[in-house]
Amino acid sequence: MKKKKYPKQFIIRVKKYIKLSKSLLPGLFFLCLTLGMLFSLIIPLRPTYSDVEKRELAKFPEFSFTALVSGSYFKDIDTWFADTFPFREGLITVNSKLSELRGVGDRIYGLNDMAVQTVPEVTSGKEPENTGEEETSATTEKQTEPTVPDQINDVTQTLGGVLVIGDSGYEYCSFHQNVADKYAGIINKTAKELKEISSVYCMVVPTSMDITISDNVRKGINSCDQSEVAKYIYDSLNTGAKTVDLYTQLRMHRDEYVYFRTDHHWTALGAYYAYEKFCETAGYKPITLDKYKKVSYGDFLGSFYGDTNNSAMRKNPDDLIAYLPPYKSSLTFTNPEGKSFNWDLVHDVSNYPISQKYNSFAGSDNPFTVIENLSKEKGKTCLVIKESFGNAMIPFLVGKYKKVYVIDYRYYKKGIIAFAKQNKINDVLFINNASAVRSDTLIERMRLIAN
């Protein structure tokens, strides 16, 4: 086949265009780079809060010669630049969607770095309080507990350390005996020191992994049995502290909306059932749920969505439901900066960002909160020592007391026992979820103020 010949003038023009493009391409590249840099520096476009991660984003650092010399000033600028890049969350969402399309984590498995330690029997301390007759009764209850629909055919993924099944997230749980022993030791010390003053209660809250997940899926997941975690801690209490069995209680309501799907917390309904069980243990008559006004504060996308950016959760958010109490109350909380604010026991969060609606309950997470039941002239007092799981239960507790004091041990700096003695607290209630009682960092913070 004869090779086609091009006119000489045409070949000269083509070579000229090629040469021109080679010289222009670097210029165009650097122009795009410069425009992108200028665009990313436009302050009004830069976000200050992340709805996905539920946190304030990095602020532009203040200049100082010390920071300049140490190099931290430019490092902080880098952090600010990366943290507040325009449309950052949209880009994160796109990346998450691409990961889902690639089939990342399309099978059930445990966290690779999580060794699920076997929960041992307690060989010392108090003996289990249940008689054989009670155990038989508990077994009968367990056999009649409701079932939840099988999830075996739902899309199952592990994204960012969260197990996702369909549009629901679940948190893996592990057991660390030394941390559990430390936690039990704190409660034992509190009960011993307050023996003549307060009744001390321990409440280990199971997470949704062991309550609402279907049995056919749960048996294949590398996560410890939370009922055994609670039993180990309860059996380690030997100084008079009373225990509240929430595992059985919540399993009996597992087919109801007792946990959020997109967040690691329980719902207000789940917290109410815990309140019922506490009242049964403490010998109080609970206020029935029909006395409360049920309200919805709209769509809620919580921590599981923030961790995964999962599209199924985004399309089917939770509903933040609250129950307005039938009694009047006043609430004052002190924030980490030491400033005090008057607040609502249940706050209308309809206009809050979609990721912050769990803040509806009891003023959210603050070092110290005081709540007074204005419908009672006199009555008992309660001290709640909690992390965020306690928030949703506190509005129900207030109905049984004249005053409820709330300490979030993650931020409180003073002594728990000294406070209870000084204020002659009637009931002291420790509320911690099964994930918190495996965290040495959290329990160590509690230990430091257990005096």
Side-chain angles (χ1 to χ4, degrees):
M1 186 176 176
K2 205 170 184 181
K3 200 171 181 181
K4 185 176 179 180
K5 289 186 178 181
Y6 292 97
K8 186 176 180 181
Q9 198 64 28
F10 174 78
I11 294 172
I12 291 171
R13 280 201 304 270
V14 169
K15 286 182 177 179
K16 186 186 292 184
Y17 288 136
I18 292 172
K19 186 177 180 180
L20 182 63
S21 64
K22 283 182 178 180
S23 62
L24 286 177
L25 279 176
L28 286 171
F29 173 76
F30 284 111
L31 177 62
C32 293
L33 199 64
T34 302
L35 290 174
M37 182 184 70
L38 292 173
F39 173 77
S40 68
L41 287 172
I42 299 173
I43 301 298
L45 292 175
R46 303 192 78 89
T48 58
Y49 183 86
S50 170
D51 277 337
V52 169
E53 298 170 79
K54 296 196 289 187
R55 66 179 178 87
E56 296 289 336
L57 299 175
K59 292 181 172 58
F60 193 87
E62 292 185 9
F63 177 82
S64 72
F65 283 106
T66 304
L68 182 65
V69 172
S70 68
S72 63
Y73 180 68
F74 291 108
K75 184 178 179 181
D76 290 343
I77 290 178
D78 287 342
T79 301
W80 166 80
F81 188 88
D83 211 29
T84 62
F85 195 88
F87 312 118
R88 171 179 175 271
E89 291 195 357
L91 295 171
I92 291 174
T93 301
V94 170
N95 180 65
S96 175
K97 185 63 180 175
L98 290 173
S99 295
E100 291 176 38
L101 291 173
R102 290 201 307 270
V104 174
D106 57 353
R107 61 192 178 90
I108 303 172
Y109 58 96
L111 295 178
N112 293 332
D113 60 349
M114 185 184 76
V116 177
Q117 183 180 348
T118 302
V119 182
E121 293 286 335
V122 176
T123 55
S124 61
K126 77 171 187 181
E127 293 297 320
E129 295 176 357
N130 290 340
T131 64
E133 184 179 348
E134 288 173 342
E135 286 176 7
T136 303
S137 175
T139 302
T140 304
E141 264 193 288
K142 191 169 183 180
Q143 289 174 344
T144 58
E145 70 185 20
T147 58
V148 294
D150 287 352
Q151 299 165 292
I152 201 68
N153 295 320
D154 292 344
V155 177
T156 305
Q157 307 170 300
T158 293
L159 297 171
V162 176
L163 175 69
V164 179
I165 303 177
D167 59 2
S168 302
Y170 302 90
E171 183 177 8
Y172 292 95
C173 182
S174 58
F175 175 76
H176 301 284
Q177 185 175 354
N178 62 321
V179 181
D181 288 341
K182 186 187 293 187
Y183 182 54
I186 293 168
I187 297 172
N188 278 329
K189 178 183 177 181
T190 304
K192 183 178 179 181
E193 291 285 335
L194 299 177
K195 188 174 182 180
E196 305 299 326
I197 303 169
S198 313
S199 296
V200 176
Y201 298 87
C202 175
M203 181 182 287
V204 177
V205 183
T207 64
S208 58
M209 172 70 80
D210 277 21
I211 304 297
T212 61
I213 198 169
S214 66
D215 295 332
N216 65 307
V217 172
R218 176 63 183 91
K219 64 185 178 183
I221 297 173
N222 183 30
S223 184
C224 68
D225 186 331
Q226 294 179 41
S227 66
E228 292 182 3
V229 173
K231 185 178 185 302
Y232 178 87
I233 292 171
Y234 292 165
D235 287 352
S236 299
L237 304 180
N238 53 22
T239 52
K242 301 173 184 180
T243 61
V244 185
D245 176 19
L246 293 190
Y247 183 86
T248 302
Q249 175 78 344
L250 289 168
R251 290 279 296 188
M252 294 301 295
H253 297 279
R254 62 189 301 223
D255 59 339
E256 301 174 49
Y257 191 39
V258 290
Y259 288 88
F260 294 113
R261 292 175 297 94
T262 72
D263 187 72
H264 66 285
H265 293 105
W266 52 11
T267 63
L269 180 61
Y272 175 79
Y273 290 133
Y275 155 76
E276 270 192 330
K277 190 64 179 179
F278 169 74
C279 287
E280 178 188 319
T281 305
Y284 301 142
K285 184 179 179 181
I287 299 173
T288 56
L289 194 59
D290 60 6
K291 298 291 193 299
Y292 294 79
K293 181 182 178 182
K294 183 179 178 180
V295 294
S296 171
Y297 292 139
D299 291 348
F300 171 49
L301 289 172
S303 58
F304 290 150
Y305 174 72
D307 289 340
T308 65
N309 243 281
N310 181 263
S311 60
M313 292 185 194
R314 185 167 59 252
K315 291 175 184 175
N316 191 20
D318 280 298
D319 185 7
L320 198 291
I321 294 171
Y323 295 87
L324 301 180
Y327 37 83
K328 293 181 179 180
S329 63
S330 67
L331 182 151
T332 303
F333 69 79
T334 304
N335 70 9
E337 289 72 43
K339 296 179 180 178
S340 294
F341 299 88
N342 296 324
W343 209 249
D344 303 316
L345 184 55
V346 178
H347 190 68
D348 185 344
V349 292
S350 301
N351 296 321
Y352 275 38
I354 196 170
S355 64
Q356 296 185 46
K357 293 193 175 182
Y358 189 73
N359 291 336
S360 174
F361 309 111
S364 191
D365 296 329
N366 292 287
F368 184 68
T369 304
V370 181
I371 308 164
E372 184 171 0
N373 186 335
L374 301 177
S375 299
K376 285 181 177 287
E377 289 186 11
K378 58 182 180 178
K380 290 187 174 184
T381 56
C382 180
L383 171 61
V384 179
I385 300 156
K386 60 87 184 177
E387 34 78 23
S388 57
F389 258 76
N391 299 352
M393 183 176 162
I394 290 166
F396 300 114
L397 279 175
V398 172
K400 304 310 301 178
Y401 297 96
K402 175 59 180 172
K403 270 192 177 182
V404 174
Y405 301 92
V406 183
I407 287 175
D408 193 319
Y409 62 87
R410 297 170 298 174
Y411 314 110
Y412 192 71
K413 305 297 183 186
K414 300 177 183 178
I416 295 171
I417 296 172
F419 180 87
K421 286 180 177 179
Q422 183 181 350
N423 292 275
K424 295 182 173 56
I425 300 297
N426 298 111
D427 294 332
V428 175
L429 173 59
F430 288 82
I431 306 177
N432 277 278
N433 74 82
S435 182
V437 298
R438 67 173 179 169
S439 169
D440 192 43
T441 301
L442 291 182
I443 301 307
E444 179 60 19
R445 287 180 186 172
M446 187 188 296
R447 188 191 66 79
L448 291 174
I449 61 171
N451 51 52

